[in-house]
Coordinates of all heavy atoms in Angstrom, one line a residue:
M1 N -74.7 -71.5 -42.0 CA -74.7 -70.1 -42.4 C -75.9 -69.4 -41.7 O -75.8 -68.3 -41.3 CB -74.8 -70.0 -43.9 CG -74.6 -68.6 -44.4 SD -73.0 -67.9 -43.8 CE -72.5 -67.0 -45.2
V2 N -77.0 -70.1 -41.7 CA -78.2 -69.6 -41.0 C -78.0 -69.4 -39.5 O -78.4 -68.4 -38.9 CB -79.5 -70.5 -41.3 CG1 -80.6 -70.0 -40.5 CG2 -79.8 -70.5 -42.8
R3 N -77.3 -70.3 -38.9 CA -77.0 -70.2 -37.5 C -76.1 -69.0 -37.2 O -76.3 -68.3 -36.2 CB -76.3 -71.5 -37.0 CG -76.1 -71.5 -35.5 CD -75.5 -72.8 -35.1 NE -76.6 -73.8 -35.2 CZ -76.4 -75.1 -35.0 NH1 -75.2 -75.6 -34.7 NH2 -77.4 -76.0 -35.1
L4 N -75.2 -68.7 -38.1 CA -74.3 -67.6 -37.9 C -75.1 -66.3 -38.0 O -74.9 -65.4 -37.2 CB -73.2 -67.6 -39.0 CG -72.3 -66.4 -39.0 CD1 -71.5 -66.3 -37.7 CD2 -71.3 -66.4 -40.2
R5 N -76.0 -66.2 -38.9 CA -76.9 -65.0 -39.1 C -77.7 -64.8 -37.8 O -77.9 -63.7 -37.3 CB -77.7 -65.1 -40.3 CG -77.0 -64.9 -41.6 CD -78.0 -64.9 -42.7 NE -77.2 -64.7 -44.0 CZ -77.8 -64.7 -45.2 NH1 -79.1 -64.9 -45.3 NH2 -77.1 -64.6 -46.2
V6 N -78.3 -65.9 -37.3 CA -79.1 -65.8 -36.1 C -78.3 -65.3 -34.9 O -78.7 -64.5 -34.1 CB -79.7 -67.2 -35.8 CG1 -80.4 -67.2 -34.4 CG2 -80.7 -67.5 -36.9
V7 N -77.1 -65.8 -34.8 CA -76.2 -65.4 -33.6 C -75.8 -63.9 -33.8 O -75.9 -63.2 -32.8 CB -74.9 -66.3 -33.6 CG1 -73.9 -65.7 -32.6 CG2 -75.3 -67.7 -33.2
L8 N -75.5 -63.5 -35.0 CA -75.1 -62.1 -35.2 C -76.3 -61.2 -35.0 O -76.1 -60.1 -34.4 CB -74.5 -61.9 -36.6 CG -73.2 -62.6 -36.9 CD1 -72.7 -62.4 -38.3 CD2 -72.1 -62.0 -35.9
L9 N -77.5 -61.6 -35.4 CA -78.7 -60.8 -35.2 C -79.0 -60.7 -33.7 O -79.3 -59.6 -33.2 CB -79.8 -61.4 -35.9 CG -81.2 -60.6 -35.8 CD1 -81.0 -59.2 -36.3 CD2 -82.3 -61.4 -36.4
A10 N -78.8 -61.8 -33.0 CA -79.1 -61.8 -31.5 C -78.1 -60.9 -30.8 O -78.4 -60.1 -29.9 CB -79.0 -63.2 -31.0
M11 N -76.8 -60.9 -31.2 CA -75.8 -60.0 -30.6 C -76.1 -58.6 -30.9 O -75.9 -57.7 -30.1 CB -74.4 -60.4 -31.1 CG -73.9 -61.7 -30.5 SD -72.3 -62.3 -31.2 CE -71.3 -60.8 -31.1
A12 N -76.5 -58.3 -32.2 CA -76.8 -56.9 -32.6 C -78.0 -56.4 -31.8 O -78.0 -55.2 -31.5 CB -77.1 -56.8 -34.0
L13 N -78.9 -57.2 -31.4 CA -80.1 -56.8 -30.6 C -79.7 -56.7 -29.1 O -80.3 -55.9 -28.4 CB -81.2 -57.7 -30.8 CG -81.9 -57.7 -32.2 CD1 -82.9 -58.8 -32.4 CD2 -82.4 -56.3 -32.6
A14 N -78.8 -57.5 -28.7 CA -78.5 -57.5 -27.2 C -77.6 -56.5 -26.8 O -77.6 -56.0 -25.6 CB -78.0 -58.9 -26.9
V15 N -76.7 -56.0 -27.7 CA -75.7 -55.0 -27.2 C -76.3 -53.7 -26.8 O -75.9 -53.2 -25.7 CB -74.6 -54.8 -28.4 CG1 -73.8 -53.6 -28.1 CG2 -73.8 -56.1 -28.6
P16 N -77.2 -53.1 -27.5 CA -77.8 -51.8 -27.0 C -78.6 -52.0 -25.7 O -78.7 -51.1 -24.9 CB -78.7 -51.4 -28.1 CG -78.3 -52.2 -29.3 CD -77.7 -53.4 -28.8
L17 N -79.1 -53.2 -25.5 CA -79.9 -53.4 -24.3 C -79.0 -53.8 -23.1 O -79.5 -53.9 -22.0 CB -80.9 -54.5 -24.5 CG -81.9 -54.3 -25.6 CD1 -82.8 -55.5 -25.9 CD2 -82.8 -53.0 -25.3
G18 N -77.7 -53.9 -23.3 CA -76.8 -54.3 -22.2 C -76.6 -53.3 -21.1 O -76.3 -53.6 -20.0
G19 N -76.9 -52.1 -21.4 CA -76.7 -51.0 -20.4 C -75.3 -50.6 -20.3 O -74.4 -51.0 -21.0
C20 N -75.0 -49.8 -19.3 CA -73.7 -49.2 -19.1 C -73.4 -49.3 -17.6 O -74.1 -48.9 -16.8 CB -73.6 -47.8 -19.5 SG -72.1 -47.0 -19.3
A21 N -72.3 -50.0 -17.3 CA -71.8 -50.1 -15.9 C -70.6 -49.1 -15.7 O -69.6 -49.2 -16.4 CB -71.4 -51.5 -15.6
V22 N -70.8 -48.2 -14.8 CA -69.7 -47.2 -14.5 C -69.2 -47.5 -13.2 O -69.9 -47.6 -12.2 CB -70.3 -45.8 -14.6 CG1 -69.3 -44.8 -14.3 CG2 -70.9 -45.5 -16.0
Y23 N -67.9 -47.6 -13.1 CA -67.2 -47.9 -11.8 C -66.7 -46.5 -11.2 O -66.1 -45.7 -11.9 CB -65.9 -48.7 -12.1 CG -65.0 -48.8 -10.8 CD1 -65.4 -49.6 -9.7 CD2 -63.8 -48.2 -10.8 CE1 -64.6 -49.7 -8.6 CE2 -63.0 -48.3 -9.7 CZ -63.4 -49.0 -8.6 OH -62.6 -49.1 -7.5
V24 N -67.2 -46.3 -10.0 CA -66.8 -45.1 -9.3 C -65.7 -45.5 -8.3 O -66.0 -46.2 -7.3 CB -68.0 -44.4 -8.6 CG1 -67.5 -43.2 -7.9 CG2 -69.0 -44.0 -9.6
P25 N -64.5 -45.0 -8.4 CA -63.4 -45.4 -7.5 C -63.7 -44.8 -6.1 O -64.4 -43.8 -6.0 CB -62.2 -44.8 -8.1 CG -62.6 -43.7 -9.0 CD -64.0 -44.1 -9.5
P26 N -63.2 -45.4 -5.1 CA -63.4 -44.9 -3.7 C -62.6 -43.6 -3.6 O -61.7 -43.3 -4.4 CB -62.7 -46.0 -2.8 CG -61.8 -46.7 -3.7 CD -62.4 -46.7 -5.1
P27 N -62.9 -42.8 -2.5 CA -62.2 -41.5 -2.4 C -60.7 -41.7 -2.2 O -60.3 -42.6 -1.4 CB -62.9 -40.9 -1.1 CG -63.5 -42.1 -0.4 CD -63.9 -43.1 -1.5
P28 N -60.0 -40.9 -2.8 CA -58.5 -41.0 -2.7 C -58.0 -40.5 -1.3 O -56.9 -40.9 -0.9 CB -58.0 -40.1 -3.8 CG -59.1 -39.1 -4.0 CD -60.4 -39.8 -3.7
H29 N -58.7 -39.7 -0.6 CA -58.3 -39.1 0.6 C -59.5 -39.0 1.6 O -60.6 -38.8 1.1 CB -57.7 -37.7 0.4 CG -57.0 -37.2 1.5 ND1 -57.6 -36.4 2.5 CD2 -55.7 -37.2 1.9 CE1 -56.7 -36.1 3.4 NE2 -55.6 -36.5 3.1
P30 N -59.3 -39.2 2.9 CA -60.5 -39.2 3.8 C -61.2 -37.8 3.7 O -62.4 -37.8 4.0 CB -59.9 -39.4 5.2 CG -58.6 -40.1 4.9 CD -58.1 -39.6 3.5
A31 N -60.5 -36.7 3.4 CA -61.2 -35.4 3.4 C -61.8 -35.1 2.0 O -62.3 -34.0 1.8 CB -60.2 -34.4 3.7
A32 N -61.8 -36.0 1.1 CA -62.3 -35.8 -0.3 C -63.8 -35.7 -0.2 O -64.5 -36.3 0.6 CB -61.9 -36.9 -1.2
V33 N -64.4 -34.9 -1.1 CA -65.8 -34.7 -1.2 C -66.3 -35.1 -2.5 O -65.6 -35.0 -3.5 CB -66.2 -33.2 -0.9 CG1 -66.0 -32.9 0.6 CG2 -65.6 -32.3 -1.8
W34 N -67.5 -35.6 -2.6 CA -68.1 -36.0 -3.9 C -68.7 -34.8 -4.6 O -69.6 -34.1 -4.0 CB -69.2 -37.1 -3.6 CG -69.8 -37.6 -4.9 CD1 -71.1 -37.3 -5.3 CD2 -69.2 -38.4 -5.9 NE1 -71.3 -37.9 -6.5 CE2 -70.2 -38.6 -6.9 CE3 -68.0 -39.0 -6.1 CZ2 -70.0 -39.4 -8.0 CZ3 -67.8 -39.8 -7.2 CH2 -68.7 -40.0 -8.2
V35 N -68.3 -34.6 -5.8 CA -68.9 -33.5 -6.6 C -69.9 -34.2 -7.6 O -69.5 -35.0 -8.4 CB -67.8 -32.8 -7.4 CG1 -68.4 -31.7 -8.3 CG2 -66.8 -32.2 -6.5
P36 N -71.2 -33.9 -7.5 CA -72.1 -34.5 -8.5 C -71.9 -34.1 -9.9 O -71.2 -33.1 -10.1 CB -73.5 -34.1 -8.0 CG -73.3 -32.9 -7.1 CD -71.8 -33.0 -6.6
G37 N -72.5 -34.8 -10.8 CA -72.3 -34.5 -12.3 C -72.8 -33.1 -12.5 O -73.7 -32.6 -11.9
H38 N -72.1 -32.4 -13.5 CA -72.5 -31.1 -13.9 C -72.1 -30.8 -15.3 O -71.4 -31.5 -15.9 CB -71.8 -30.1 -12.9 CG -70.3 -30.2 -12.9 ND1 -69.7 -31.2 -12.2 CD2 -69.4 -29.5 -13.5 CE1 -68.4 -31.1 -12.3 NE2 -68.1 -30.1 -13.2
W39 N -72.6 -29.7 -15.9 CA -72.3 -29.3 -17.2 C -71.0 -28.5 -17.2 O -70.8 -27.6 -16.4 CB -73.4 -28.4 -17.8 CG -74.7 -29.2 -18.0 CD1 -75.8 -29.2 -17.3 CD2 -74.9 -30.2 -19.1 NE1 -76.7 -30.1 -17.8 CE2 -76.2 -30.7 -18.9 CE3 -74.2 -30.7 -20.1 CZ2 -76.8 -31.7 -19.7 CZ3 -74.7 -31.6 -21.0 CH2 -76.0 -32.1 -20.7
G40 N -70.1 -28.8 -18.1 CA -68.8 -28.1 -18.2 C -69.0 -26.7 -18.9 O -70.0 -26.3 -19.3
P41 N -67.9 -26.0 -19.0 CA -68.0 -24.6 -19.6 C -68.3 -24.6 -21.1 O -68.8 -23.6 -21.6 CB -66.6 -24.0 -19.3 CG -65.7 -25.2 -19.1 CD -66.5 -26.3 -18.5
Y42 N -68.1 -25.8 -21.8 CA -68.3 -25.8 -23.2 C -69.5 -26.7 -23.5 O -69.7 -27.2 -24.6 CB -67.1 -26.3 -23.9 CG -65.9 -25.4 -23.7 CD1 -64.8 -25.9 -22.9 CD2 -65.8 -24.2 -24.2 CE1 -63.8 -25.1 -22.7 CE2 -64.7 -23.3 -24.0 CZ -63.7 -23.8 -23.2 OH -62.6 -23.0 -23.0
G43 N -70.4 -26.9 -22.5 CA -71.6 -27.7 -22.8 C -71.5 -29.2 -22.7 O -72.4 -29.9 -23.1
R44 N -70.4 -29.7 -22.2 CA -70.1 -31.1 -22.1 C -70.5 -31.6 -20.7 O -70.2 -30.9 -19.7 CB -68.7 -31.4 -22.4 CG -68.4 -32.9 -22.6 CD -66.9 -33.1 -22.9 NE -66.4 -34.0 -21.8 CZ -65.4 -33.8 -21.0 NH1 -64.6 -32.8 -21.3 NH2 -65.0 -34.6 -20.1
W45 N -71.2 -32.7 -20.6 CA -71.6 -33.3 -19.3 C -70.4 -33.9 -18.6 O -69.7 -34.7 -19.2 CB -72.7 -34.3 -19.5 CG -73.1 -34.9 -18.1 CD1 -72.7 -36.2 -17.7 CD2 -73.8 -34.3 -17.1 NE1 -73.2 -36.4 -16.5 CE2 -73.9 -35.3 -16.1 CE3 -74.4 -33.1 -16.9 CZ2 -74.6 -35.0 -14.9 CZ3 -75.0 -32.8 -15.7 CH2 -75.1 -33.8 -14.7
I46 N -70.1 -33.5 -17.4 CA -69.0 -34.1 -16.6 C -69.6 -34.9 -15.5 O -70.3 -34.4 -14.7 CB -68.1 -33.0 -16.0 CG1 -67.5 -32.1 -17.2 CG2 -67.0 -33.6 -15.2 CD1 -66.8 -30.9 -16.7
P47 N -69.4 -36.3 -15.5 CA -70.0 -37.1 -14.5 C -69.4 -36.8 -13.1 O -68.4 -36.1 -13.0 CB -69.6 -38.5 -14.9 CG -68.5 -38.4 -15.9 CD -68.6 -37.0 -16.5
G48 N -70.1 -37.3 -12.1 CA -69.7 -37.1 -10.7 C -68.2 -37.6 -10.5 O -67.8 -38.6 -11.1
H49 N -67.5 -37.0 -9.6 CA -66.1 -37.3 -9.3 C -65.7 -36.9 -7.9 O -66.4 -36.1 -7.3 CB -65.2 -36.8 -10.4 CG -65.3 -35.3 -10.5 ND1 -64.6 -34.4 -9.7 CD2 -66.1 -34.5 -11.3 CE1 -64.8 -33.2 -10.0 NE2 -65.8 -33.2 -11.0
W50 N -64.7 -37.4 -7.4 CA -64.1 -37.0 -6.1 C -63.2 -35.8 -6.3 O -62.5 -35.7 -7.3 CB -63.3 -38.1 -5.5 CG -64.1 -39.3 -5.1 CD1 -64.2 -40.5 -5.8 CD2 -64.9 -39.4 -4.0 NE1 -65.1 -41.3 -5.1 CE2 -65.5 -40.7 -4.0 CE3 -65.3 -38.5 -2.9 CZ2 -66.4 -41.1 -3.0 CZ3 -66.1 -39.0 -1.9 CH2 -66.7 -40.2 -2.0
A51 N -63.3 -34.8 -5.4 CA -62.5 -33.6 -5.5 C -61.8 -33.4 -4.2 O -62.2 -33.8 -3.1 CB -63.3 -32.4 -5.8

């Protein structure tokens, strides 16, 4: 039981430190341009994307 608690505590501490990996797909078309991240009309952050 103690070992289970130690494992759960270690997982709870490691998950927030894991970071975030974001996959950016390649351009769909040779003439596509990269639009950097920007704020949307309602205050929401929109990450960079191909346009």
